[in-house]
Each structure stands twice: as structure tokens, then as C-alpha cells.
């Protein structure tokens, strides 16, 4: 038994024979034991400089994967504008 904390929406996807998906590693929430997992470097200087990150999670094989739409890094970024900032009285609303 396991308890998972998954942010945003959860998309369940059944990999078909020979199917491979490349995902941002932060979006892969869980996978069945039968799914193969590798980290692959993003190709191309333009992608590295202006893309989301340097690596992809490469999943393949038969089985289910669960993808989260808002990994913890994106959740934190989306909350920053709503967090109080310091001021003379300690809070700035």
C-alpha cells in the first residue's frame, strides 16, 4: 500500500506495445513495474536555452503511467504571487 501526493489533474495512460513517451520528469507521478524508465538529455541548444529543462523522462513498454499536470515546482511557482512579503508591519497584503 502506498499513499501518493499528486498535484493538479492526474492523467492515466496505458502504454501500447512499442510506444515511447518523452515527458518532463516532474510530470511523471507513478508507473507500473512493467514500464521501462530512462532519463534522456534534451537535444539542441535552442531547447536547452529556452525550453523547460535539460532532461526528459523516457517511458516505454507495456503498462500504465500516471501523469500529473502540476508538479511541485510548478505548484510552488503558481503560489508565489499569493504569499505575503515582508514589510514594516511584518506582512504586506
Amino acid at each position: 500500500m502506498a499513499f501518493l501526493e499528486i498535484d493538479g489533474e492526474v492523467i492515466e495512460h496505458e502504454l501500447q506495445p512499442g510506444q515511447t513517451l518523452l515527458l518532463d520528469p516532474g510530470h511523471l507521478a507513478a508507473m507500473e513495474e512493467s514500464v521501462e524508465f530512462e532519463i534522456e538529455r534534451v537535444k539542441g541548444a535552442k531547447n536547452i536555452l529556452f525550453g523547460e529543462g535539460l532532461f526528459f523522462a523516457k517511458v516505454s513498454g507495456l503498462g500504465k503511467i500516471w501523469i500529473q499536470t502540476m508538479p511541485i515546482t510548478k505548484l510552488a511557482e503558481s503560489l508565489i504571487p499569493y504569499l505575503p512579503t515582508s514589510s514594516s508591519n511584518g506582512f504586506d497584503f
Side-chain angles (χ1 to χ4, degrees):
M1 182 181 294
F3 294 94
L4 298 175
E5 187 271 323
I6 298 174
D7 299 307
E9 298 289 324
V10 176
I11 301 165
E12 183 178 300
H13 183 78
E14 180 87 32
L15 291 170
Q16 301 303 313
Q19 184 180 17
T20 297
L21 290 178
L22 295 175
L23 309 164
D24 180 302
H27 288 279
L28 182 62
M31 62 187 184
E32 290 184 329
E33 210 173 313
S34 59
V35 175
E36 295 178 31
F37 173 84
E38 294 178 47
I39 293 291
E40 186 173 290
R41 190 176 180 122
V42 172
K43 293 176 178 75
K46 191 174 185 180
N47 288 332
I48 291 171
L49 294 174
F50 303 108
E52 289 287 320
L54 296 174
F55 300 100
F56 285 125
K58 180 179 176 181
V59 290
S60 57
L62 290 173
K64 290 182 185 177
I65 62 170
W66 290 267
I67 302 165
Q68 62 183 346
T69 61
M70 185 172 286
I72 193 70
T73 54
K74 299 291 184 199
L75 177 62
E77 286 175 13
S78 68
L79 293 176
I80 287 172
Y82 302 103
L83 296 176
T85 58
S86 62
S87 67
S88 59
N89 64 1
F91 295 99
D92 184 21
F93 293 100

